[in-house]
Every structure is written in structure tokens, then in C-alpha cells.
Amino acid sequence: MTATATPNAAGSAWADTLLLSFAQAGYVRAEPAILQPAEPFLDLSGEDIRKSLYLTTDPTGEELCLRPDLTIPVARDYLASGRAGQPAGFSYLGPVFRYRGGQASEFLQAGIESFGRQDRAAADAEMLALALEATAAFGVREVEIRTGDVALFNALLDALELYPVWRRRLIKDFNRKISLEQDLERLALATTATRSEYEGVLAALAGSDRKAALAFVTDLMSIAGTTNVGGRTTAEIADRFLEQSTLKGGALPRAALAVLKRFLAISGNPDEAIAELRALTTEAKLDLTGAIDQFESRVGFMAARGIDVKQTRFSTAFGRGLDYYTGFEFELHHRGNGAEPLVAGGRYDGLMTQLGSAAPIPAVGFSVWVDALTRIGRKELKS
């Protein structure tokens, strides 16, 4: 690990202001262990994150890592506590560790995680309001609010009744910030007459669901005496075969393509976006009422918290590039800075079951990029 000095929060005016605002809002200070099991990070973020982690192994063979962020450690501690499933809110400020090229590998991260609240729209708005308070604690005033809602995209895919394999592929593209438009065009192209060496497998999978495809491929690989091919797991191979089988069965309907493109082009302030979404669903005869109502309710709570909704930027194509987000997503940027977020977060209702909870638990939160806010706050103070 590169030897670098971690910013010292002790006695800093911004730290006192930040932690006080979190405490006054009812968020209890959490201090998870620095050494964490590596498995949850690898499972949720994929093996690609391995090159960024600082890993070790204990005497039992369990792979451990220095915590690369604090969301998962705070969530794990909550699930291990007697309050799991009940509403609870936590704040944090501490070092995290991950390789970032030429930047410091050890750096401070602050933030909030809220678990178990059923009033999702109100909780979402509270996160955004507290995130804005966090930027103010550093003296940063010129803030641009960017928001999105992956639940709207998921609801649209459900309403279009696409093949499950298409749905999974498009959601993966959306979450990973891959060009959706390019993939949409590829899916809409007529299938070619080229043959595959796996033609028999593809024919056998025609019309199968994911569970049936996984069982079929598992049997084939068991006969072959292997559990992976080229580093791909059985599930990944089954998904790939199922995708190829589906694509051979026909192209993405042009009508669905047109609706998806129109949906992904919606951008502006939230009120304008809501009007466009309702117009689209009426014309396309699709029911997205629940997702749009939740969006509209959140906007109402944002306004009630004093957030200037007209100055908030919303885009249906906005995503944070992480698979576990399930709804509202946001980033705060210094005005004019297009790349580096100061604060980022959103709703991740699916994370708790992925971490071992027997029942789903609503969850929403955000992380504060202390180094970026400190740097920009100093610049604004001098100007």
C-alpha cells in the first residue's frame, strides 16, 4: 500500500459541524471494524473489484480485506444487532482503503445509512436534504443536484413484458453505465442465419426460463465433469446460452424499442419529467402508475424540506453504476464539475437479503467524499 497520510478529522470544524448535523437528525455514530470479510464486496461488486482491495487471509482460510467503503460494514453490523428489521439510522466518519491509481489508497469517508423505514419517499428526501447539509458543513455552496430512479426503468421493462433475458441484459447495461442505446439497437436487429456450434443446446433452451436453463446447463457440465469454463460460473454460462437462444427466437420489437428510447430521453427538472412520464405511459398504454406516484411523492417531500426542485436535474437514464441500487439515486457535484461527485447515494432495498437477511429491509443512504469537499471548500473560502 502506498504510504499516504489520511486526513485528520479530529478537531476539524467541518467534522464537528457534519457529525452534529447527523446526530441532530437522529443518526447514531457507527464504527465498524476496519478488517472485513472480502466475500460480500466480491459478491456484490463482482471480481473486478478484487484489484482495488487490500486482501489478506486468516488462519482458517477466510479471505479478509481492509474495508473499501462503509455501507456494507454498517449494514452487516445492523443485521447482526438486535435491531435488525426495525427502523434505525447510522452515521459514520472514518478511513476506507482501496487502490485508486495515483490517488491516496487510504482516505476518509463520511455518510449515513437508514434501515427499515417504510416511508420510502420521505426517507429518500431526507437523505438528499442531509447530503446538502453535508456539503454546507465544508463551506461548499455551489452545488448541482443530479437524480434518477432505477425503479422507473425496472417498472417500464416489466410493463413492456420483455423476455426475462432481455430484461436482465438491459438492467445490467443500465447499472454498469454501458451504452443502452447501442445495445437496444443490437437487440432490435433481425437475427442472422449464422449457425452456432451449440445449436442443439440453444434449441433445447428455447422458451426456457432462467431456473430451467440453469438446471439444464448444470446437468451438462456435471456430465462433462466441470463447474466452470474459462473462469465463467455455471450460472453465467446458463445466462449466456439463454440470451443467445432468446435472440435466435426473434428481435426486440420495434414498438418496445421506440418506447425505451423515448423513456431514456426524458430529462429536466422533476416536475417536467413527471409530466413527460405520464404522457408517455398514456400514449403507449403502459401502467407505471406506482413507480411514478412514488417519484412524485418524493418530489413533494423534497420541496417540503426546502430543496429547490426547479434547480434539481432529473434524468431517466441516470444511474450510479452499482447493481444493488433499486430506486432513487443521486449525486451532488460542484457546479461546473462534470465528473467528480461530492456526495453520492440512493436506495438499495435489495442489499439486506443479499447480505443474509431472511426478509427484505428498506435501505437508503449516501457517502460523502471528504477529500473532494475539503479541497473545494478551501477554494471557495479563498475566492
Side-chain angles (χ1 to χ4, degrees):
M1 186 187 303
T2 304
T4 53
T6 300
N8 184 8
S12 299
W14 63 259
D16 294 339
T17 304
L18 184 69
L19 293 173
L20 179 61
S21 71
F22 291 168
Q24 288 176 334
Y27 291 86
V28 178
R29 182 79 180 270
E31 298 187 64
I34 287 178
L35 201 59
Q36 295 280 326
E39 185 178 6
F41 298 99
L42 296 170
D43 285 349
L44 291 165
S45 301
E47 283 288 329
D48 286 347
I49 198 178
R50 182 178 289 275
K51 60 182 178 290
S52 301
L53 298 180
Y54 290 97
L55 295 159
T56 187
T57 306
D58 72 10
T60 70
E62 182 182 9
E63 202 167 26
L64 305 171
C65 67
L66 299 180
R67 62 190 189 199
D69 74 18
L70 277 154
T71 297
I72 289 174
V74 171
R76 290 182 67 250
D77 284 358
Y78 164 73
L79 289 175
S81 75
R83 298 191 65 184
Q86 301 173 25
F90 302 95
S91 65
Y92 53 82
L93 172 62
V96 294
F97 310 82
R98 62 174 178 265
Y99 179 73
R100 302 189 298 167
Q103 301 182 69
S105 297
E106 178 184 353
F107 55 100
L108 283 176
Q109 189 179 81
I112 276 180
E113 310 299 339
S114 174
F115 306 123
R117 285 181 59 173
Q118 298 297 330
D119 55 340
R120 288 173 171 81
D124 290 349
E126 182 172 305
M127 290 303 107
L128 184 54
L130 289 171
L132 288 166
E133 286 186 23
T135 62
F138 290 83
V140 177
R141 306 292 175 182
E142 294 295 315
V143 175
E144 178 183 302
I145 305 171
R146 304 179 188 178
T147 67
D149 190 342
V150 67
L152 286 166
F153 186 62
N154 289 339
L156 178 65
L157 296 184
D158 289 341
L160 288 171
E161 299 181 345
L162 300 178
Y163 284 131
V165 67
W166 285 347
R167 187 184 190 283
R168 285 195 302 276
R169 178 164 165 173
L170 292 173
I171 289 173
K172 184 177 180 180
D173 284 357
F174 185 94
N175 288 336
R176 299 294 168 85
K177 294 191 173 183
I178 298 171
S179 173
L180 265 176
E181 184 173 349
Q182 183 180 18
D183 209 17
L184 285 171
E185 289 293 350
R186 190 180 298 116
L187 287 171
L189 292 174
T191 53
T192 66
T194 57
R195 292 184 63 82
S196 163
E197 61 182 309
Y198 302 110
E199 203 73 26
V201 174
L202 300 182
L205 289 174
S208 298
D209 61 15
R210 188 168 188 260
K211 184 177 179 181
L214 180 57
F216 180 73
V217 173
T218 300
D219 286 345
L220 287 180
M221 295 182 71
S222 177
I223 293 169
T226 184
T227 57
N228 68 78
V229 176
R232 289 184 177 180
T233 65
T234 303
E236 289 171 331
I237 295 168
D239 283 343
R240 181 60 178 156
F241 276 143
L242 190 56
E243 179 179 308
Q244 291 179 356
S245 174
T246 302
L247 293 177
K248 279 197 164 289
L252 181 69
R254 283 285 169 184
L257 174 66
V259 171
L260 282 162
K261 282 189 170 184
R262 182 175 166 188
F263 172 87
L264 291 167
I266 293 173
S267 181
N269 74 53
D271 290 333
E272 293 169 343
I274 289 166
E276 289 187 57
L277 284 165
R278 294 205 187 278
L280 171 60
T281 57
T282 298
E283 292 170 28
K285 296 181 173 57
L286 297 172
D287 184 10
L288 273 66
T289 304
I292 297 174
D293 286 350
Q294 184 76 2
F295 175 22
E296 189 166 32
S297 177
R298 180 192 309 126
V299 173
F301 281 109
M302 286 163 54
R305 284 190 165 270
I307 297 170
D308 188 351
V309 175
K310 296 292 184 187
Q311 296 302 312
T312 300
R313 176 182 165 190
F314 174 85
S315 171
T316 49
F318 176 86
R320 295 222 53 249
L322 294 170
D323 289 343
Y324 60 68
Y325 282 113
T326 58
F328 179 52
E329 298 179 66
F330 71 88
E331 291 180 352
L332 304 184
H333 289 250
H334 190 232
R335 199 170 299 283
N337 182 339
E340 187 178 33
L342 306 176
V343 185
R347 177 158 294 281
Y348 51 95
D349 288 352
L351 179 63
M352 296 309 188
T353 50
Q354 290 176 288
L355 290 175
S357 173
I361 299 173
V364 63
F366 64 82
S367 295
V368 177
W369 299 99
V370 172
D371 50 357
L373 275 165
T374 303
R375 184 174 66 253
I376 292 169
R378 286 171 180 163
K379 286 182 181 178
E380 288 200 0
L381 188 63
K382 292 176 182 178
S383 61

